Amino acid sequence: METENYNVIGVMSGTSLDGIDLAHIQFRVESQEWAFEIIESETISYSSDWVTSLKMAVGFSINELDDLNQKYTELLATTISNFIKKYNIENIDAVCSHGHTILHQPQKGFTLQIGNLPEISALIHQTVVCDFRVQDVQLGGQGAPLVPIGDKILFPEYDYCMNLGGFSNISFEENGERIAFDISPVNTVLNFYANELGLAYDDKGQKTSTGSINENLLNELNDLDFYQKKHPKSLGFEFVKEVVLPIIDTYKISTTDKLRTFTEHVAFQIASALPTKKGNLFITGGGAYNDFLIERIQSYLPEIKIIIPSNKILEFKEALIFALLGVLKLRGEVNVLRSVTGAQKDHSSGVIFTV
């Protein structure tokens, strides 16, 4: 049986603004069985100016967004080129890049990931596969989450696959279909309040663990309309800025109490999202390092076995899966599932730019 090999780079920037994740990945495909190896991987942190710009961009005018998109595409190109040069990566089949989400309003038929302009291919002298979300929204889908097909293909041994990043999302098999949806904000909120304490993030949840739960706030958060909706459903930073933070800030409580209450909210919503409370739960994303959050999730799911993988998979799973989405696009195969996004059909999403 013929074996096919792909040598690609996956690039991802998440809503938690940790930086740009890059992973050099080799895929092997034989009889529709996929295997992968993450060779080199690195996260390039944003400058403080870039963090500010990306946080503020949700309120930018069209002209300001166009300018930001151009500058971010150039930043991404430089970052990718430096990664290729640093690790002397040759014979690359494609660079598969998510870009950075600025606006995500699928209910209005709109999503914007910057860094996906056509010139990125010429700037890095490589074939680029990118802009994976727009087509799905045009087909009536949520444009998110896109990772679940990667869970299905690369991690089929787990009952549940969950990412704890800027937002939490989960995927699993139900009635022969892959189901997935966003659960709640996570690090977009936790990091916001950690910043108030002068921290980039709350390491292992140590500060959070010293706070107390405000029951009224917890109940108000748990009663939000989003949590009553059926999947498919997805979240953007607009939800945090316009809904979650204003609610939390009406409560005159300490920052540690806000962190503690929101962490409890996250754990409760994750437990509520699982249709059965048995099996194994594979957790990746920066939130997997938050020992206190993991402890609270486990307390709500005593019969679930939580599995946290090696650091390389934990930190670069999304870059890995966007690399896979790019390869599937190159192969002309489905890389977005209607059962996940609610689109009119399964489809092969993304655009291919060649030098």
Side-chain angles (χ1 to χ4, degrees):
M1 184 62 68
E2 183 183 355
T3 300
E4 296 174 87
N5 296 285
Y6 296 91
N7 186 46
V8 296
I9 294 173
V11 185
M12 176 68 193
S13 172
T15 47
S16 53
L17 297 176
D18 295 337
I20 299 168
D21 293 338
L22 304 106
H24 172 208
I25 297 150
Q26 292 180 345
F27 289 108
R28 187 177 72 255
V29 194
E30 185 174 343
S31 303
Q32 292 301 306
E33 293 288 323
W34 289 74
F36 71 88
E37 183 181 3
I38 301 175
I39 313 297
E40 295 92 7
S41 55
E42 193 171 0
T43 298
I44 305 301
S45 298
Y46 288 117
S47 68
S48 57
D49 286 347
W50 267 110
V51 170
T52 300
S53 292
L54 295 174
K55 282 182 178 178
M56 300 278 291
V58 69
F60 279 10
S61 68
I62 291 174
N63 287 341
E64 288 172 324
L65 283 175
D66 286 345
D67 182 57
L68 183 71
N69 199 354
Q70 185 66 49
K71 290 177 179 174
Y72 188 80
T73 299
E74 293 167 5
L75 172 72
L76 210 50
T78 300
T79 304
I80 294 166
S81 296
N82 289 344
F83 181 76
I84 292 170
K85 184 177 180 181
K86 178 177 179 178
Y87 294 105
N88 193 28
I89 306 170
E90 299 178 330
N91 303 314
I92 298 168
D93 293 306
V95 173
C96 312
S97 178
H98 170 269
H100 184 85
T101 298
I102 295 298
L103 299 171
H104 184 64
Q105 300 171 12
Q107 70 281 6
K108 297 179 182 177
F110 186 76
T111 187
L112 172 65
Q113 286 70 48
I114 59 173
N116 292 325
L117 295 177
E119 52 262 43
I120 191 169
S121 178
L123 288 169
I124 67 172
H125 310 292
Q126 302 287 343
T127 295
V128 175
V129 190
C130 62
D131 220 6
F132 294 100
R133 299 189 189 272
V134 172
Q135 178 176 293
D136 190 73
V137 172
Q138 291 171 345
L139 288 170
Q142 290 282 310
L146 298 188
V147 167
I149 193 164
D151 294 337
K152 182 183 180 75
I153 291 172
L154 301 180
F155 302 102
E157 65 270 34
Y158 300 109
D159 297 302
Y160 300 101
C161 290
M162 183 171 66
N163 182 65
L164 286 177
F167 297 87
S168 56
N169 52 64
I170 195 159
S171 85
F172 51 91
E173 293 291 313
E174 186 173 79
N175 300 322
E177 286 189 316
R178 197 75 187 181
I179 300 299
F181 49 90
D182 285 350
I183 302 174
S184 78
V186 183
N187 291 336
T188 44
V189 174
L190 296 179
N191 290 355
F192 178 86
Y193 290 110
N195 293 167
E196 287 192 355
L197 297 174
L199 304 169
Y201 60 92
D202 181 18
D203 186 31
K204 296 181 170 46
Q206 293 177 38
K207 292 285 187 184
T208 299
S209 66
T210 67
S212 300
I213 297 171
N214 183 291
E215 294 292 345
N216 291 333
L217 173 56
L218 180 61
N219 291 336
E220 187 170 353
L221 290 169
N222 285 334
D223 286 343
L224 286 170
D225 289 344
F226 178 81
Y227 302 120
Q228 320 312 319
K229 292 179 181 176
K230 300 295 184 184
H231 56 72
K233 57 182 181 176
S234 62
L235 289 165
F237 187 68
E238 297 95 321
F239 179 73
V240 172
K241 183 181 178 184
E242 297 167 10
V243 179
V244 176
L245 296 180
I247 288 173
I248 296 174
D249 286 339
T250 61
Y251 287 79
K252 305 307 177 188
I253 57 177
S254 69
T255 300
T256 51
D257 287 356
K258 291 176 181 178
L259 284 164
R260 178 68 182 88
T261 303
F262 195 78
T263 295
E264 197 71 14
H265 166 66
V266 170
F268 176 83
Q269 290 303 328
I270 286 169
S272 300
L274 272 59
T276 59
K277 317 301 181 189
K278 296 181 179 181
N280 53 42
L281 172 62
F282 183 65
I283 299 181
T284 54
Y289 289 115
N290 187 328
D291 293 347
F292 185 69
L293 173 57
I294 299 298
E295 178 187 308
R296 297 310 304 142
I297 293 169
Q298 185 74 80
S299 75
Y300 281 101
L301 297 167
E303 296 186 68
I304 285 279
K305 181 180 181 181
I306 291 177
I307 297 156
I308 297 174
S310 66
N311 286 4
K312 196 172 273 192
I313 293 176
L314 190 157
E315 293 178 15
F316 296 96
K317 182 187 170 209
E318 287 192 297
L320 162 68
I321 290 183
F322 277 98
L324 173 67
L325 294 186
V327 171
L328 290 171
K329 177 66 178 179
L330 291 173
R331 290 165 63 93
E333 296 179 5
V334 166
N335 61 7
V336 181
L337 302 171
R338 64 175 296 278
S339 63
V340 169
T341 68
Q344 297 163 15
K345 60 183 180 180
D346 292 347
H347 56 102
S348 188
S349 192
V351 294
I352 301 171
F353 300 131
T354 54
V355 181

